[in-house]
Amino acid sequence: MSSVLYHLFCISSDGIPLLTYKSDGLPAIPFPVIGAINGVHMYANSNGVELVSTDAGNAKIIWKEYYSVKLILTLFSKNFLHHSKLLDDIFYVFVITIGLNSLSKILSIEKVKKKLRTCLPLISLLMRKQGTINNLRYMVDLCLVSQKTVLQNQLNIFIEESSCELGCLLLYNKVIVATESFWQMDKKDIYFIIMFQESLCNSLSASDTPIYLPVSSPDIPHRLITLSLIEHVKVVLICGSQPTLSELLKNYLHKYWMPLLFVLKDSLTSYPRCFPKDIKLDSSILSFVLLNIKDEMSWCSLFPHGSMTGSDQFVLCDVNERQNALFAFYESCLKSLEKEKNILSAIDAKEIYECTEQFKCYAILGSTYYLFVLYKKDTATFALSGVSRNMLKRLLKEKLQFAKNHMHWTHEWQNVIFSDEKKFNLDGPDSYSCCLHDLRGINDPQTKQNYGGGSLMVWGGFSYSEN
C-alpha cells in the first residue's frame, strides 16, 4: 500500500485535534475541512445514523470512534477494502504505545498529543504493511534455519535463567524460535510486538521500552527488551520489573549467546530464502507463502533461490511486486472459497490456478495448510499441480529431516549426548511472589515464602555409554 496516499486524523470526542499524519508529498488538509468532515459524522450520529464511510471524489473517508477518541482516515484509493480493520490496527498502535487508560479518559490534551506523536514510526510501518497476507490475518512470519533445535534450547535456558516472562529470536524480523509462553499469547499481541520492535531504531544494540499488550494487557505496561546478538539477529524479551537491562547485558548476554556465535552466523545463510540453503526447490518457482491456518503462522519466501539469482533476475524483481502479486492471488482464492464453501468442505483440498502476462499462480487449500506459489510464465500449466504438491510435501517433511539424516548412525552416536535442564522454584515461576494482606484495611502486607523460598536447577543427560 506504499503507493496509496492517505490522511489520518485523530480527534477527541470534543472535536479537539490530537494527531494528524499523512503520506509524504501530500499537502496538508486545513483544520476547517477536518472539522467539517467530523461535523458530518456528528450530525449523522445525532440523527441515529451510524456513518462508517463515504466516497468523496477520488477519495474514500472512513470514521470510527474508540472510547474518547475518533479516527478519520482519508484514503485516495477506492480499491482498498479492509477499511475498518485498518482503523482498528491504528488504534492498536495507540494502545501498544501509550496504553488504553490514556485513550479511554483524556485528562490532559497536551500530554496525549505528545504521547501520540511517539506512535508515528509504528503507524508509518503499519501503513507500509497493508496489502500483505500477514497483516490481514495477524500472522507471525517464520524463518526456518538448519540448527533450530540448538537455538530453541538455548533460548529456553536464557529466558529461564534471566527470569524473563517470554521471548523469541528474530532473523530479519522473522521468528526463528520462541518460547512456549510466547506462542500462547493472543495472535494480535504477537503481531504488534514484532512490528513494534521493528519500528525501533535499527542502530541500537539494546533497548528497553515500555509497551502495552493491545488484547491481553491494554492497561498494565510491560517491558519490551531487544538485544542484538549479531547483525540482523536479535532476541526479543517481554519482562516485568526485573531483570534490568544492565543485568542482562552484564550477566546473561555474553554467557549464553557467545558460545553459539557460529550457529547464529550460520542462520544468516537462510535469508532471503527463509529456509536452509540445502533445501532445493524447482527453478520455475518465483516465490511462495505457506500458511498454517490452525496455528496462525506463515512461512513466506519471496526469493526462494537467493537474492537476485537465477529466475529472480528477470521477473518481479521488487519485493513489493511479489508481495502484491501473492496478496492479489490470495484474495482471489478467498473469493473462490466463499462461492464454493460447500464444495470445499466435502473434499480434503482445493487447487486453484491463474495465468497472467508476467507469471502463473497455483494454490493448494487444505484444512490445515494453504500454499500459494508464483511461477515463471513459461512454466507448463499441467506441471503446476505436481510441482506444488511435491513442494508442499518437501516443506512439511523438513521437520523430520534431521531424524532421517541420522537414522543409519551406529558408532557415531558414541560422540553425542542428549541433555536438558529444568529449574524448580518453591514460590512458583520466576518473578512471582506471594503476600498476606489484612482485610481489615491495614496497609501492611507481609511477604510469604514457602520453606524460605529458593530454587533448584536440575540437569540431566544420556549418551551411548557412561563415559
Side-chain angles (χ1 to χ4, degrees), residues 34-319:
I34 301 175
I37 295 174
N38 182 47
V40 172
H41 186 264
M42 294 178 66
Y43 178 77
N45 282 350
S46 65
N47 287 274
V49 177
E50 183 181 0
L51 188 59
V52 177
S53 65
T54 186
D55 292 334
N58 64 337
K60 179 177 283 290
I61 302 174
I62 310 102
W63 294 268
K64 201 163 187 179
E65 292 188 74
Y66 303 87
Y67 298 93
S68 297
V69 299
K70 181 187 299 183
L71 295 179
I72 304 175
L73 181 66
T74 303
L75 287 175
F76 292 88
S77 171
K78 295 184 179 181
N79 298 323
F80 187 74
L81 303 177
H82 310 287
H83 309 122
S84 180
K85 177 188 177 300
L86 177 54
L87 287 178
D88 290 342
D89 289 349
I90 294 173
F91 185 72
Y92 287 144
V93 167
F94 292 166
V95 174
I96 195 173
T97 308
I98 69 175
L100 185 59
N101 285 335
S102 298
L103 301 167
S104 59
K105 188 175 181 180
I106 299 178
L107 301 178
S108 172
I109 293 293
E110 293 304 319
K111 285 185 178 180
V112 173
K113 284 183 177 180
K114 186 176 181 180
K115 289 181 178 180
L116 286 177
R117 283 195 290 270
T118 63
C119 303
L120 295 182
L122 189 50
I123 293 176
S124 177
L125 179 60
L126 173 68
M127 300 303 286
R128 293 198 302 270
K129 287 182 177 292
Q130 299 305 307
T132 62
I133 300 174
N134 285 19
N135 175 266
L136 184 62
R137 301 184 65 105
Y138 300 113
M139 281 188 163
V140 180
D141 206 3
L142 305 179
C143 181
L144 184 65
V145 296
S146 57
Q147 300 196 58
K148 176 182 176 181
T149 303
V150 175
L151 294 173
Q152 180 70 70
N153 291 338
Q154 195 70 359
L155 177 65
N156 291 340
I157 296 172
F158 178 74
I159 293 292
E160 192 168 20
E161 287 298 299
S162 61
S163 301
C164 294
E165 297 176 12
L166 48 90
C168 65
L169 196 64
L170 301 182
L171 170 63
Y172 285 93
N173 298 308
K174 297 176 181 287
V175 178
I176 303 176
V177 293
T179 60
E180 184 178 352
S181 54
F182 180 86
W183 295 122
Q184 291 173 351
M185 288 195 300
D186 187 272
K187 64 178 182 178
K188 292 180 183 178
D189 287 341
I190 296 176
Y191 180 80
F192 281 98
I193 286 173
I194 300 298
M195 190 164 60
F196 186 95
Q197 66 80 31
E198 186 178 352
S199 71
L200 299 176
C201 180
N202 292 326
S203 62
L204 297 176
S205 60
S207 65
D208 188 348
T209 311
I211 65 166
Y212 300 79
L213 304 182
V215 177
S216 59
S217 181
D219 300 317
I220 302 175
H222 292 69
R223 293 168 58 223
L224 176 71
I225 295 179
T226 64
L227 304 172
S228 179
L229 305 181
I230 60 174
E231 189 175 10
H232 306 304
V233 179
K234 66 177 73 171
V235 60
V236 177
L237 309 171
I238 299 295
C239 305
S241 58
Q242 298 295 327
T244 64
L245 180 60
S246 60
E247 288 175 342
L248 285 170
L249 294 174
K250 181 180 179 181
N251 302 329
Y252 299 101
L253 185 63
H254 185 276
K255 176 182 177 181
Y256 288 100
W257 294 109
M258 182 56 96
L260 270 66
L261 181 60
F262 290 105
V263 176
L264 294 171
K265 289 183 177 180
D266 180 70
S267 67
L268 293 173
T269 61
S270 293
Y271 192 84
R273 298 176 182 85
C274 296
F275 54 83
K277 60 183 179 181
D278 57 337
I279 300 177
K280 304 299 181 182
L281 300 181
D282 193 282
S283 60
S284 63
I285 297 174
L286 292 174
S287 59
F288 72 87
V289 57
L290 177 63
L291 307 181
N292 186 328
I293 304 303
K294 180 181 178 181
D295 297 330
E296 295 293 341
M297 301 178 186
S298 91
W299 181 9
C300 178
S301 177
L302 298 176
F303 296 100
H305 309 292
S307 180
M308 304 301 292
T309 61
S311 60
D312 292 346
Q313 296 182 38
F314 310 108
V315 184
L316 296 176
C317 295
D318 185 68
V319 170

Side-chain angles (χ1 to χ4, degrees), residues 367-431:
S367 58
T368 305
Y369 294 98
Y370 286 1
L371 175 65
F372 303 89
V373 191
L374 298 185
Y375 290 92
K376 294 193 296 185
K377 65 178 182 179
D378 58 354
T379 306
T381 304
F382 68 84
L384 298 180
S385 177
V387 175
S388 299
R389 284 179 171 271
N390 290 335
M391 173 185 173
L392 181 60
K393 292 179 181 179
R394 179 77 185 277
L395 294 176
L396 296 181
K397 286 184 178 179
E398 285 303 321
K399 297 179 179 179
L400 302 176
Q401 197 60 46
F402 176 85
K404 290 183 177 180
N405 290 343
H406 300 81
M407 63 187 300
H408 302 295
W409 273 21
T410 54
H411 63 277
E412 290 90 347
W413 291 113
Q414 297 181 25
N415 299 319
V416 177
I417 182 171
F418 295 89
S419 65
D420 200 1
E421 305 84 14
K422 179 62 179 177
K423 185 180 181 182
F424 297 91
N425 295 335
L426 291 175
D427 287 314
D430 289 328
S431 303

